[in-house]
Amino acid sequence: MKIHKEGYRVIAVIFLVLALILIAINVLFCAQTLIHYALYVVAAIFYFLVVRFFRVPNRTIDSDENAIFSPADGEIVVIEEVMEPEYLKDNRRQISIFMSPLNVHVNYFPISGLLKYKKYHPGKFLVAWHPKSSTLNERSTMVVEHSSNGKSILFRQIAGFVARRIVPSVELNHQAIQGDEFGMIKFGSRVDVFVPLDAKINVEIGQKVTAKKTIIAYFE
C-alpha cells in the first residue's frame, strides 16, 4: 500500500495544525492530565484516518473485455433504468456506488477503450446518496468507448457533503486501460456508472464492492 500523491500536502498540513494545537495546549496547561492524554489519542486517531483516506491499495485486476468492473470501493445504492441526458442521450442502466470516508477513494477505469468525453461540472454539495446529487452536485463525467465491441460506458464522479474536490488524472482522448486510475474524490462521495440496457447486471442493492475486483455487469 502507498499514499496517493494528492494526499501529501493535506497530510503535512494536518500534521502541522495538530502539532501546533497540542504544543499550545501544553504551553498553556503544563501539568499533564487525563484530558491531555485524551487529546493525544483523539489527535492520533484523526491523523491516522486522514493518512488512511489517501491510501492506494496494491491490487491487480484479472482483465476481461466482456466485464465492467466497479470503478470504486463502496456500497451499491442504486440500480435503475434512467435516461442519460448529458452525452449518451438514451436509456441506460444506472449503477451507483456510495463511498464512505473510510473507503478507498481512488477510482479506476471499468473497461478499456478511448476516453471520448470528459467534462467537469461545478455544483452543490448535497449528501452523496441524495437522488439529485447526480445532477446538482459538483461532478466529473467521462465516457469510454470499448476498444473491442464499440459500446460506450459513462461514469460520473460526484462530490458529496464532505467531499468537495474531484481530482482527475487523465485527459480527453486518453487510451483507457481497464483497472488504471482515472482520478479520485476527496473525503466521501459517489460514482455513477451508466451501462447499456442489455448488459447483465452482476450486483444488487446493498452489496459491498471493491474496485478492480468486483464485476458489476457484463456486456451481452
Side-chain angles (χ1 to χ4, degrees), residues 9 24-25 53 79-80 94 111 118 126 131 139 167 176 183 203:
R9 182 177 179 181
I25 290 173
F53 176 86
I79 301 175
E80 63 181 3
Q94 177 183 331
I111 63 172
K118 174 178 178 286
L126 302 173
R139 60 201 182 278
V167 184
V203 289

Side-chain angles (χ1 to χ4, degrees), residues 13-163:
V13 170
I14 293 295
F15 179 84
L16 181 60
V17 171
L18 289 176
L20 291 175
I21 291 173
L22 293 177
I23 290 171
I25 290 173
N26 277 277
V27 169
L28 294 172
F29 308 98
C30 299
Q32 296 296 298
T33 66
L34 288 177
I35 295 177
H36 285 74
Y37 297 130
L39 289 174
Y40 300 152
V41 171
V42 170
I45 292 173
F46 177 72
Y47 186 69
F48 170 76
L49 291 175
V50 171
V51 173
R52 187 175 181 273
F53 176 86
F54 290 101
R55 69 196 184 280
V56 181
N58 296 319
R59 293 178 190 164
T60 57
I61 185 171
D62 295 325
S63 294
D64 182 343
E65 66 177 17
N66 290 320
I68 303 169
F69 280 84
S70 176
D73 287 11
E75 179 181 347
I76 301 296
V77 293
V78 173
I79 301 175
E80 63 181 3
E81 182 178 335
V82 297
M83 172 66 176
E84 199 298 299
E86 181 177 347
Y87 179 84
L88 299 171
K89 301 186 187 303
D90 63 7
N91 284 354
R92 292 275 163 154
R93 195 80 64 191
Q94 177 183 331
I95 304 172
S96 298
I97 304 154
F98 173 71
M99 296 181 286
S100 78
L102 297 179
N103 288 127
V104 172
H105 271 61
V106 182
N107 301 142
Y108 304 92
F109 284 111
I111 63 172
S112 296
L114 181 66
L115 182 59
K116 295 186 63 178
Y117 178 80
K118 174 178 178 286
K119 186 171 183 179
Y120 168 79
H121 303 266
K124 298 181 179 180
F125 299 99
L126 302 173
V127 289
W129 57 83
H130 192 287
K132 293 187 177 181
S133 66
S134 181
T135 55
L136 296 181
N137 278 22
E138 175 191 353
R139 60 201 182 278
S140 178
T141 303
M142 296 185 187
V143 176
V144 171
E145 182 182 89
H146 197 283
S147 54
S148 296
N149 61 33
K151 295 182 179 181
S152 293
I153 298 294
L154 183 147
F155 39 98
R156 181 176 294 128
Q157 296 169 291
I158 303 168
F161 179 72
V162 178

Side-chain angles (χ1 to χ4, degrees), residues 202-218:
N202 196 51
V203 289
E204 57 187 24
I205 298 290
Q207 181 177 335
K208 303 294 184 182
V209 295
T210 304
K212 300 174 71 170
K213 293 298 182 183
T214 305
I215 297 173
I216 59 174
Y218 288 95

